[in-house]
Amino acid sequence: MVLINWFCYACFLGMQRLCAFLYTPLNRLLFKLWGVQLASGSKFWGRTMLSKHPVAALKIGRNALFRSAPFSNPLGLTHACQLTVKRGAELIIGDDCGFSGTAICVIKSVVIGDRVWCGANVLITDSDHHAANPVRRHRGEPGITKPVRIGNDVWIGMNAVILKGVVIGDGALIGANSVVVRDVPANSVVFGSPAKVIGKVPSEYPESENKQADAEQIINSAVTKHQTQNQTQQDTESQQDNA
């Protein structure tokens, strides 16, 4: 049974490598046909869905990783990576960035720095897309649009949503399932819906071989601390009420 287990695992690794081997040149070709400025070193697992208006700009830096195949991320992907850049808009992605089932929809401008990692199923958009007022929405009027800026070395946890007008500082960590609606200071840990600052990223900490585990450990520690503080505050308020 152990040998069979090793055989199955080897087949799984081989399938991942074959997927990257087949889809990387295909996606590079499609990106070129779409007029995307794609730097060297990009790698693709599965087909990245792309929609770019001819009067739009899409630039991707070196060594970009796009994971769209369901088996390419152990956390599971609900959909392929999807990049949508509308007329007159710009999407700029820096070097050494990684995306897993990430959807980015740009009406005006989204700029992503270097070494930004997006966990499974992250959504980034710079627009409400539809008007909040029902009358205006019925008329087909667009929603509010504001540029999004994401700094260098940012980690965005799985299922997080980054909405219009947000500026995320360098080195920030966005907790899983967070909805970011306001600016995030550099080197901050934010979590929740809406996302709030719950801690700071340590200036120095032991670097392991698994950077994703490092980021998750920092977020979990900050969340635990935040929950403990809330519980302590609730206990204090309860004691005061009883008194």
Side-chain angles (χ1 to χ4, degrees), residues 36-50:
V36 177
Q37 297 183 35
L38 180 64
S40 62
S42 59
K43 201 169 183 180
F44 297 83
W45 289 262
R47 168 78 186 282
T48 293
M49 308 307 294
L50 179 63

Side-chain angles (χ1 to χ4, degrees), residues 130-142:
H130 302 285
N133 181 276
V135 176
R136 292 182 55 202
R137 186 167 60 247
H138 180 70
R139 293 173 181 168
E141 297 181 25

Side-chain angles (χ1 to χ4, degrees), residues 3-149:
L3 291 177
I4 295 177
N5 191 355
W6 274 107
F7 174 77
C8 292
Y9 186 67
C11 290
F12 174 76
L13 294 179
M15 182 171 61
Q16 284 202 333
R17 294 178 179 178
L18 179 62
C19 181
F21 176 78
L22 294 175
Y23 278 98
T24 293
L26 174 62
N27 281 282
R28 288 176 179 175
L29 174 61
L30 292 174
F31 273 46
K32 184 176 181 179
L33 294 176
W34 275 96
V36 177
Q37 297 183 35
L38 180 64
S40 62
S42 59
K43 201 169 183 180
F44 297 83
W45 289 262
R47 168 78 186 282
T48 293
M49 308 307 294
L50 179 63
S51 175
K52 172 187 169 294
H53 193 279
V55 186
L58 175 49
K59 302 178 182 179
I60 301 175
R62 296 172 297 173
N63 306 319
L65 304 179
F66 291 90
R67 299 180 180 272
S68 297
F71 56 81
S72 62
N73 186 304
L75 298 179
L77 305 181
T78 57
H79 52 74
C81 288
Q82 184 166 338
L83 308 179
T84 303
V85 190
K86 297 294 187 176
R87 179 184 178 88
E90 64 168 3
L91 171 56
I92 311 298
I93 299 174
D95 297 336
D96 303 305
C97 293
F99 306 93
S100 293
T102 302
I104 305 176
C105 184
V106 188
I107 304 299
K108 186 174 183 180
S109 176
V110 172
V111 177
I112 299 173
D114 298 334
R115 300 174 300 279
V116 174
W117 288 18
C118 293
N121 312 315
V122 166
L123 169 63
I124 302 172
T125 183
D126 65 347
S127 176
D128 290 337
H129 300 282
H130 302 285
N133 181 276
V135 176
R136 292 182 55 202
R137 186 167 60 247
H138 180 70
R139 293 173 181 168
E141 297 181 25
I144 299 173
T145 298
K146 296 181 180 179
V148 171
R149 299 290 182 265

Side-chain angles (χ1 to χ4, degrees), residues 167-173 182-190 197 199-200:
V167 177
I168 300 177
D170 295 346
L173 291 180
R182 58 176 64 91
D183 294 352
V184 177
N187 301 310
S188 296
V189 180
V190 301
V197 176
K200 297 286 289 184

